[in-house]
Amino acid sequence: MYDSANPYLTGNYAPWREEGDAFDLEIEGELPRELNGALYRIGPNPHFKPLGRYHWFDGDGMVHAFILRDGRAAYRNRYVRTDGLKAEMNQGRALFGGLLEQPREMTPELPPFKNAANTNIIGYANRLLALFEAASPHELKPDTLETVGLFNFGGKVTGPVTAHPKFDPVTGDLLFFGYQPFPPYVTWYRATRDGKLIESRPIDTGLPVMMHDFIATDNYAIFFVCPSVFHLENAPAGKPIFVWEPQHGTRIGVMNRKTGDVKWFQDEAFFVFHFLNAYEENGSLVVDGCRMESLDMSGNSFGGKPAMPWRWNLKLSDGTMRQRQVDDVPAEFPRFDERIAGLKHRYGYFAGGDVVSPEHETSFKALLKRDYQTDKLEVHELGKKFAPGEPVFVPRSAKSSEDDGWVLAVWYDEERNRSEMVVLDAQNFAGAPVARIKLQHRVPWGFHGNWVPA
Ligand SMILES: [Fe+2]
């Protein structure tokens, strides 16, 4: 749209800037009446022609809500009205650079960088929070998607908040961290289900790195320190602020949630954007996630090699670790039945299959379902010209067993240049979709989303 040489501004990465509401959407199949709530999705969607080099991570967050009730579906999409975007809207043009280059107008009225509010969206404490790992969450109204403002846990968390917090399935506590380019680099937090901060603890990881995700069990919080290292001094020279430095290797810190003690495991360098889950078994921690051999944050690709599913076994008694690639089918955006977070899971759902092209390594052909007990991999392809985003699992009921429910994902139909929200029966994963909810326009490739029951 703006720059045909930048893959993050072309095809279904290009922004869709129209905000609106649509009611009684066309549905192919039958939408289960148990699906009563909203699937919120969020992704980058630059409102103005970007200044300098644009990276996928830079775009203004736009929320897409699929509201399901009584077998019918509605849709609403809105930009998150961040201070940065509001300033740009007032001027009618971009004012901020992104993480590849930071040309911007140095005026005291502007924040030092834009909180793009584009990475994840969760329901928490009767609020909707749009998350961006470099800054505070934004609170939105769940029904209108109107931006309320920054959410900082009653003033207790003013630093960055990860876009991948976890819910403790027993207490409902929100477990999260923030990372920053200066010591202690990482801070661990825990807040109650109604929004009160109850724990805050610095963790000195020894290296200022990009840390996108973490994983937790009942007793431990696990942090992968992968060597995508902060170099803020590069920004004025127009160089990337994250540099891959494999000489540091990757270190895994396992924090005892009761004592705060951290045990470290050291390995060769690799990178993980996302974890599926972790659990404790026979004195070890089992961690499932998606591993990349390296990370290139300097341009239009993450390095050309897609993420693969890996499993780590961290033996707490002697500090040794084992790891293995689970299979050789690319897989990202791992999700599971989050009611068993921190407990042994059997199933994982991913977006995956062969990547469409090296420049489009984050657009996938299929949804995948992995059975970690039998090693069976099921593949759902909607058609040659269809590509899915992250799958979100919704249980059939509070009491249904793991995998008894639906997998919701937004798919892009390249031929019609439109998107649809597709409901799969998780237990008939490769079979025909239960329902396909059709939009009259496309939803650009985004990052994450969550189901919030009515
Ligand atoms: Fe993410």
Side-chain angles (χ1 to χ4, degrees), residues 119-120 133 163-164 212-213 273-274 332-333 390 447-448:
T119 314
N120 198 0
E133 68 194 38
H164 287 289
H212 184 65
D213 195 1
F273 269 116
H274 300 118
E332 244 297 349
F333 294 125
E390 176 197 55
F447 298 128
H448 300 287

Side-chain angles (χ1 to χ4, degrees), residues 164-181:
H164 287 289
K166 316 293 176 205
F167 287 97
D168 183 312
V170 177
T171 61
D173 287 351
L174 193 73
L175 314 176
F176 60 106
F177 72 96
Y179 74 87
Q180 55 194 20

Side-chain angles (χ1 to χ4, degrees), residues 196-429:
K196 288 190 194 72
L197 191 79
I198 46 176
E199 198 179 328
S200 165
R201 194 192 290 277
I203 302 171
D204 189 346
T205 57
L207 194 66
V209 300
M210 178 165 71
M211 188 183 286
H212 184 65
D213 195 1
F214 83 118
I215 198 75
T217 66
D218 274 359
N219 296 303
Y220 301 97
I222 307 158
F223 303 92
F224 281 50
V225 182
C226 305
S228 180
V229 183
F230 260 117
H231 283 278
L232 286 186
E233 74 280 6
N234 283 354
K239 292 197 232 156
I241 57 170
F242 290 106
V243 180
W244 183 248
E245 295 181 347
Q247 64 271 25
H248 301 292
T250 286
R251 294 171 74 227
I252 302 171
V254 175
M255 186 191 80
N256 183 311
R257 285 178 53 187
K258 289 195 185 73
T259 64
D261 293 341
V262 182
K263 187 187 261 297
W264 289 98
F265 298 76
Q266 174 79 43
D267 194 39
E268 62 181 12
F270 60 85
F271 190 82
V272 175
F273 269 116
H274 300 118
F275 298 101
L276 178 76
N277 187 33
Y279 57 89
E280 301 165 24
E281 190 173 62
N282 304 325
S284 290
L285 288 167
V286 180
V287 181
D288 279 315
C290 300
R291 168 177 152 149
M292 300 167 79
E293 293 315 299
S294 62
L295 179 69
D296 181 354
M297 290 291 292
S298 67
N300 299 336
S301 158
F302 292 111
K305 285 189 183 161
M308 295 290 182
W310 279 67
R311 170 166 281 192
W312 294 265
N313 284 76
L314 309 172
K315 198 169 171 189
L316 295 167
S317 55
D318 64 4
T320 59
M321 63 179 280
R322 285 181 294 118
Q323 55 183 321
R324 66 181 175 91
Q325 187 175 324
V326 174
D327 70 26
D328 58 3
V329 180
E332 244 297 349
F333 294 125
R335 297 297 295 261
F336 73 121
D337 185 337
E338 277 149 30
R339 294 174 300 167
I340 50 169
L343 302 175
K344 186 169 184 172
H345 58 273
R346 177 167 173 180
Y347 301 100
Y349 316 96
F350 306 83
D354 293 333
V355 291
V356 176
S357 72
E359 297 77 31
H360 287 63
E361 62 202 298
T362 51
S363 55
F364 299 100
K365 284 184 172 165
L367 291 183
L368 311 176
K369 173 184 170 185
R370 162 159 294 285
D371 180 338
Y372 284 88
Q373 192 171 303
T374 63
D375 260 350
K376 184 179 168 194
L377 184 70
E378 290 182 84
V379 179
H380 190 102
E381 287 189 48
L382 207 55
K384 267 206 158 10
K385 295 284 185 182
F386 284 85
E390 176 197 55
V392 174
F393 176 81
V394 183
R396 190 173 302 273
S397 74
K399 287 184 182 157
S400 56
S401 55
E402 182 188 2
D403 193 46
D404 183 8
W406 296 279
V407 174
L408 277 43
V410 178
W411 293 68
Y412 173 58
D413 175 350
E414 190 188 331
E415 212 148 74
R416 299 174 72 227
N417 196 29
R418 290 180 182 184
S419 295
E420 50 186 279
M421 203 275 267
V422 177
V423 180
L424 302 180
D425 179 345
Q427 295 185 324
N428 180 25
F429 191 80

